[in-house]
Amino acid sequence: MPPDAAQGAVHTGEASTSEPSPTATAKGRRAIVQATDQPADRSIALMQADVPEYSGSGKSYIIEGEEVSADFSAHRTLPLGVLMPETMKRFEAGGVTAWGTADEQNFISLFAEEAKLSLTNSDAGLLRYKEYMGNYRTGNATVDVFSVEMKGKRYIAEIHTMAEQREHLLPVFINMLKDLQYMEKKAPIVPGVFVQIPDVGNSAEHKQVLQEVMDCLEAIASKNKEQFSATMSSPTTAERLLSFVENSSTYHFYKLTLMGIPFKDEKWAGFQVDYYLMDDEGYIADRGFTIVLLTGKQGVWKIEDID
């Protein structure tokens, strides 16, 4: 639970015939510490004026004294998402997307506002927030309700906490709500290799280099581990780079640029690859990497690195 304002205390020095100044610096005196005023109800905006669009980054939260990594987790239908701690999961609660504990007893959920709620109860520690509407009880859980606006639309957030977990989980859910992200739903990208083949000349050696690169990109797009490994310089290299295949993201390669065979006066050949990447949360990023190839003893070029 967000902490209540600290209670002030007055510290005095030795007895004196004059009143000490609040900023006294004379030897033997201490400054008077004034009591901190409680924030007025609805005086603090929990949310930013403009909810940020998701940028692909995560963060971490402190849960029961431990730092826990949190990554973006999208709402199934709304253009919203939270940064969900790795110790939590996403699930459906009453037909609404929720994020919370493995037992699904403590969670935060989001849905489009359809009607005004009439709430007569509230948590004194949450009344400071402009978005806070109050709470209600359901079984052994307390449900705190917030009204938030994003991109001109209003949504309801509910935080469900059981009494025994409320003290340490409510602050986490408040921070998750504070870090709410906007992500517009987009159509899935089409996986595959959609590049204009660069001119590498008529050399059989150059054509073999290009073929290795094309085979590698096709393997990444189709998640073909065997084909991917066949383009690598060694099993060790294949194992090191296998994350390009063993993931749930979708790759759409749209540009392939020859850097050189070899590159300038170096001993390696290189290609620049540009592509769209869509992760399993629906986030689409425009990215690129360089494929580096080396030639072996038999004069066959294989991929040494993707960076």
Side-chain angles (χ1 to χ4, degrees), residues 33-44:
V33 180
Q34 302 293 339
T36 303
D37 293 332
Q38 285 276 11
D41 289 357
R42 322 298 182 189
S43 64
I44 300 175

